[in-house]
Amino acid sequence: TEYIKKKKFPEDGSSPYGSRYVGSMVADVHRTLVYGGIFLYPANEKSPKGKLRLLYECNPMAYIMEKAGGKATTGLESVLDVVPENIHQRVPFVLGSVDDVQEYISIVKKHLTK
């Protein structure tokens, strides 16, 4: 929530981010590729391991995003560096521009050290 608040209500005078949710990850990622920004499907209390599946949902989109010059992460490591433990393994998933994703990672790391 800290990241979302920071983007929707920036304190540095920058333009606020809008949010969109098409409901299809492929369409949402396409929009992120075309218009920029960030796609977030992080872990939460209900799904602490995330909801999207590593091998057939996250890895293909992460590969495309990274080839386009962006970044994809679980919040702790690059999605493409995750070694699968099972075929249906779920992971938290964030991808987008390098700057946006790096900002998200720094907030995640800040809260892990508390």
Side-chain angles (χ1 to χ4, degrees):
T1 45
E2 179 182 342
Y3 180 80
I4 301 295
K5 286 179 187 173
K6 191 173 184 180
K7 289 298 178 185
K8 289 196 70 86
F9 309 104
E11 296 175 358
D12 62 0
S14 61
S15 296
Y17 274 37
S19 59
R20 304 281 183 274
Y21 182 73
V22 176
S24 161
M25 182 180 62
V26 173
D28 288 324
V29 171
H30 177 263
R31 181 177 173 76
T32 303
L33 280 166
V34 172
Y35 298 108
I38 190 165
F39 173 88
L40 299 159
Y41 218 126
N44 58 32
E45 288 183 19
K46 186 177 176 186
S47 303
K49 293 184 178 182
K51 283 197 89 168
L52 299 177
R53 290 164 189 88
L54 174 65
L55 288 176
Y56 46 89
E57 292 175 324
C58 300
N59 274 346
M61 294 297 110
Y63 181 81
I64 291 167
M65 183 60 72
E66 290 194 8
K67 288 297 177 183
K71 189 168 187 162
T73 184
T74 65
L76 302 174
E77 65 182 315
S78 170
V79 171
L80 297 177
D81 290 340
V82 176
V83 177
E85 296 172 7
N86 67 66
I87 194 164
H88 302 295
Q89 178 179 344
R90 296 173 189 260
V91 293
F93 189 53
V94 175
L95 58 73
S97 72
V98 173
D99 292 341
D100 285 336
V101 174
Q102 198 56 51
E103 185 178 3
Y104 174 83
I105 291 170
S106 67
I107 290 172
V108 168
K109 286 184 178 178
K110 177 176 86 173
H111 287 281
L112 285 177
T113 58
K114 286 184 178 180

